[in-house]
Amino acid sequence: MSSNDTIRLLLIHDTPSEAQRLVSMLHNAGRSNRAQHVASEAALTKLLQDKTWDLLIAEESSKQLPAAVALRTISKLQKDVPVILLTEREGAQPVVEGLKLGARDVVTVDEDQHLLLVIQREMTALDNRRQARLHDRRYHATLQRAKELLDSSKDAIAYISDGLIVYANESFAERFGYKSNEDVEYQPLIDMLAEAEQEEAREFLKQCTIDNNEVEAKEWKFTAKTASGQQLPTRAEVLSTIYDEERCLQVRIAARGGDAEQLEAQLSDIKNRDPLTGLYNRQHFLQLFDSAIKSAAGSQRTGGLMYIEVDRFEEAVQKAVGVAGADAMLKGLAQLLQSSLRRGDIVARYGEESFCLLIPDTTPDSAEHRAEEIVKKIADTIFDAAGKTVQITASVGISLFSEASAGAQKVLDQALEAHDQALAKSEQGGAVALYEPDTSQEGDVDTYRRARVVQALEAGNLKLLYQPILSLQGTGEQLYEVLVRLVDGKDELAPVAFLEALGDAGLSSKMDRWVILTAIKSAAAQRAAGKDISLLLHITAASLVDSGLPAWLGVAFKAAKVPPKSVVFQLRQEDINSNLHAARDFSNQVRELGCRVAICHFGTGLNPFKALEHVNVDVAKVDPSFVREVQDEGESSDTLANLIQQLGESDIKVIVPHVEQASMLPTLWQTGTDYIQGYYVQPPADEMNFDFSLD
């Protein structure tokens, strides 16, 4: 689980103020959370049945809901929710007792650093378990597809375990004159051979089992005995493999065809191909890639490797169109990648939803440009999915190789690392990243990052992006959220996040003022052209406590000739909770200027509405975790709907972000959502040119 993800947290504590302190501590440590206080076994049962939760923190001595009862309830419902107990007792005894109950750990009260480390460990372990379950589902889906391919194959195929035929397809039964595969399954294979060859065949199959070779098949020539007793000269390939989770031998007899040489070539090609897409398979690609690395070692050429993976494959494809639809989509994607090849390129299917593209001669700029073209081509294509249609995105990691490269596996690992960086660039996917060696360890990382931002401010290496926020109620307002990016060579980085992590208040405040001034100047130009533009501008915690900012804003608005009513200042909920008095004063002062105030990541914490009793806000942007639960995880929309309804009753407009699918719209319309934002509307763009018409 990423440290940026919102933790869905259950709290059991008899003292509300201590529960709130835990929530604030997590927020201050940069761990956004949606906390729910639980006071009874019935309430816990309902919460566990209704939603997915990431963590439960319980007071060991709670009287309202004893920790033992909570742990028993989680176990009874078979929910994977790690539990951490808090104790006031010293020594090892409470730890031993808690672990016996089933808790993941027991932490002494007020040992916040210890608690944070335990939480991080448990969140990582939880994410690993969820990934393991996901891979297990994918594995069994792959087994099912493999079984379907075996059943429909024209080749005669049988699996042999301890001498018995544990599986045979219809082609195998037909080859030897049987009516059905049921007539040969669980019969000794040796009984289907001529008696004179049976002893030799036993030794051959025994040796194949001992060799345990899953890569190179052995040729086996024998005389078979058909159902009618007729002798049939046969040539097969035998290799060790896994069937139904048991090690066994696969015997494959090629379908009858033309001359032997042509058939041999076809068999060799089939062995090197992925049966679904027709591309080279992973095993053969790695051989070709290793050869390309060796060739690069003897030349001055630089090659490139692209690791291409479909984003959110299980959620966006498999759950939407099923296994057959996913297979059809993957075939279409393979054809698209083949159509993108240039001379010398090699493309292969690497994993279930991933592909590798090998470019023998390229440059960093050229490789990135090609990857961006491929990503755009994928995003613009409507794929057939077994009677349905689906649109996808893919993220690409690129690594380069030359005579200095250590080996194929190292280059592949670098491409996978670059792919992780691409995913970190965009939650919506469709990003590209080029692997670059890490040089930040040579100096102080914080100093290095700060210097980059200072240099960017001085040299003008910053740019603004604008993402439209669409009104579902037809107000006609043309509202854009303003995002800042640091242009560092070919990369565009978000500097605000690591500036806040550095705790450099002066630089964060300076960055905020640069963004505000640049954005309102751009808005002024748009308004002069007849567009009624409004801006949503993020304010960091540093600016929130800057008492001189409101007066500066009044001067800036007059200079830019922008009406304050067209500006919405956005504050993070955790910043408001940590600076309640400053947030209240800032809100009142900018609202007196005529601006509006928004709160983002709303819904996190134990009591999100508490802050609204002290700070006047006009707009609330709900935390993305509420949207992901409905959109990506298929959970009920009741929690999101209730939150929107409560905000509406408080006369606060609601923005729902991260909307990526049209299927979300009916739910949001019914809940009375005021605005939507996300890649479904439009990704962040360089210009404010979105068509806000709903017609």
Side-chain angles (χ1 to χ4, degrees), residues 241-290:
T241 187
I242 301 292
Y243 177 76
D244 200 18
E245 301 185 4
E246 297 288 340
R247 183 158 292 282
C248 60
L249 294 176
Q250 181 196 72
V251 177
R252 184 173 69 87
I253 305 167
R256 297 181 178 92
D259 60 44
E261 289 185 6
Q262 182 180 4
L263 182 59
E264 191 69 32
Q266 291 174 347
L267 288 174
S268 178
D269 189 57
I270 289 172
K271 185 174 66 175
N272 296 332
R273 297 282 178 179
D274 171 58
L276 177 65
T277 64
L279 301 180
Y280 287 129
N281 57 29
R282 177 175 180 167
Q283 171 191 324
H284 187 60
F285 173 76
L286 291 176
Q287 295 172 354
L288 296 173
F289 186 31
D290 191 57

Side-chain angles (χ1 to χ4, degrees), residues 143-159 167-172 181 241-244 250-252 275:
L143 289 181
Q144 181 59 35
R145 287 199 296 274
K147 178 70 165 53
E148 293 170 356
L149 289 169
L150 287 171
D151 291 343
S152 62
S153 175
K154 297 296 183 184
D155 292 345
I157 299 174
Y159 285 92
Y167 166 83
N169 64 2
E170 293 294 341
S171 297
F172 189 90
N181 60 337
T241 187
I242 301 292
Y243 177 76
D244 200 18
Q250 181 196 72
V251 177
R252 184 173 69 87

Side-chain angles (χ1 to χ4, degrees), residues 536-555:
L536 181 67
L537 293 164
H538 179 70
I539 293 293
T540 64
S543 292
L544 189 60
V545 298
D546 180 1
S547 59
L549 181 60
W552 180 87
L553 289 171
V555 175

Side-chain angles (χ1 to χ4, degrees), residues 570-695:
Q570 178 175 257
L571 315 176
R572 295 190 308 178
Q573 176 159 330
E574 49 265 44
D575 290 341
I576 293 177
N577 292 336
S578 301
N579 306 278
L580 200 55
H581 294 300
R584 179 196 59 199
D585 294 342
F586 176 83
S587 173
N588 291 338
Q589 288 170 332
V590 297
R591 292 177 97 228
E592 287 177 4
L593 289 174
C595 302
R596 286 171 287 172
V597 175
I599 181 173
C600 65
H601 295 290
F602 187 78
T604 61
L606 192 58
N607 186 0
F609 284 89
K610 190 71 175 176
L612 303 184
E613 296 176 6
H614 305 280
V615 180
N616 293 317
V617 302
D618 306 280
V619 183
K621 183 192 290 185
V622 301
D623 189 73
S625 61
F626 290 96
V627 185
R628 284 194 290 266
E629 286 176 354
V630 181
Q631 184 171 251
D632 301 333
E633 300 171 15
E635 293 192 7
S636 168
S637 60
D638 290 348
T639 302
L640 176 61
N642 290 336
L643 186 66
I644 294 170
Q645 181 182 350
Q646 283 183 270
L647 287 166
E649 290 171 354
S650 301
D651 199 25
I652 295 173
K653 303 295 184 184
V654 179
I655 300 174
V656 175
H658 290 252
V659 176
E660 299 175 8
Q661 301 171 11
S663 58
M664 282 292 295
L665 295 185
T667 298
L668 299 179
W669 266 315
Q670 291 171 9
T671 59
T673 298
D674 298 285
Y675 302 92
I676 59 171
Q677 179 184 9
Y679 274 51
Y680 174 76
V681 179
Q682 181 179 285
D686 293 331
E687 304 291 339
M688 291 183 276
N689 54 10
F690 180 73
D691 181 7
F692 282 88
S693 172
L694 289 176
D695 296 332

Side-chain angles (χ1 to χ4, degrees), residues 320-329 382-390:
V321 298
V323 172
D327 284 350
M329 184 282 294
I382 299 175
F383 291 94
D384 174 69
K388 300 180 181 178
T389 58
V390 63

